[in-house]
C-alpha cells in the first residue's frame, strides 16, 4: 500500500521500506511462499502473509500469472498434488524474478 505522505515508501509486512530495500522485500516474499510450499502438504498454507506476499510480487513481476497459479495450487484437495504443484509454480515464479 502506497502512502500519499511517503511517495517513495511502501508498507509491506507491517514495515516501511524505501526503494533501496526492494530486493530484500522480494526475497522476504519468496521466502514466505517457500515456507507455504513446505507446509502445504500437511496444513492449510493460505494465510494472510501468503496473500500479502503474492499481492506484492504480482505488482513487481512481468509474469504475475505465476502468483495466480500459486493461489490455485494451494486450493488443490490432494495434499501430494498440492505440494508438487506449488513447488513447481514457485520455481517458475523464482525464474521470472531472477536476472538472465
Amino acid at each position: 500500500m502506497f502512502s500519499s505522505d511517503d511517495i517513495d515508501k511502501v508498507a509491506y509486512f507491517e514495515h516501511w521500506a524505501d526503494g533501496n530495500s526492494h530486493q530484500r522485500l522480494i526475497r522476504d516474499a519468496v521466502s514466505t511462499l517457500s515456507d507455504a510450499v513446505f507446509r502445504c502438504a500437511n496444513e492449510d498454507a493460505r494465510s494472510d502473509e501468503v496473500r500479502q506476499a503474492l499481492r506484492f510480487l504480482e505488482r513487481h513481476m512481468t509474469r504475475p500469472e505465476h502468483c495466480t497459479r500459486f493461489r490455485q495450487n494451494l486450493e488443490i484437495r490432494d495434499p501430494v498434488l498440492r505440494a508438487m504443484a506449488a513447488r513447481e509454480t514457485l520455481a517458475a515464479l523464482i525464474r521470472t524474478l531472477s536476472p538472465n
Side-chain angles (χ1 to χ4, degrees):
M1 164 187 300
F2 288 96
S3 167
S4 59
D5 296 334
D6 296 308
I7 293 174
D8 193 34
K9 295 186 178 182
V10 60
Y12 178 66
F13 291 128
E14 298 183 20
H15 297 284
W16 283 97
D18 59 22
N20 295 331
S21 60
H22 180 75
Q23 288 301 317
R24 183 184 55 78
L25 294 176
I26 289 175
R27 283 192 305 270
D28 288 349
V30 169
S31 176
T32 297
L33 299 184
S34 295
D35 181 59
V37 168
F38 179 74
R39 294 181 297 110
C40 76
N42 299 316
E43 61 185 80
D44 186 356
R46 297 171 292 174
S47 67
D48 286 337
E49 191 174 23
V50 168
R51 284 188 281 281
Q52 288 176 19
L54 288 168
R55 281 194 301 266
F56 175 79
L57 289 173
E58 278 177 323
R59 292 191 306 266
H60 298 93
M61 293 180 66
T62 57
R63 305 275 315 265
E65 64 269 15
H66 292 307
C67 293
T68 301
R69 209 164 91 217
F70 192 89
R71 272 188 205 92
Q72 293 167 345
N73 294 153
L74 294 180
E75 299 286 334
I76 296 172
R77 292 178 82 66
D78 182 281
V80 174
L81 294 177
R82 179 174 54 241
M84 285 182 2
R87 187 173 28 259
E88 289 172 8
T89 302
L90 179 61
L93 188 150
I94 290 169
R95 282 192 302 271
T96 64
L97 291 171
S98 300
N100 294 334

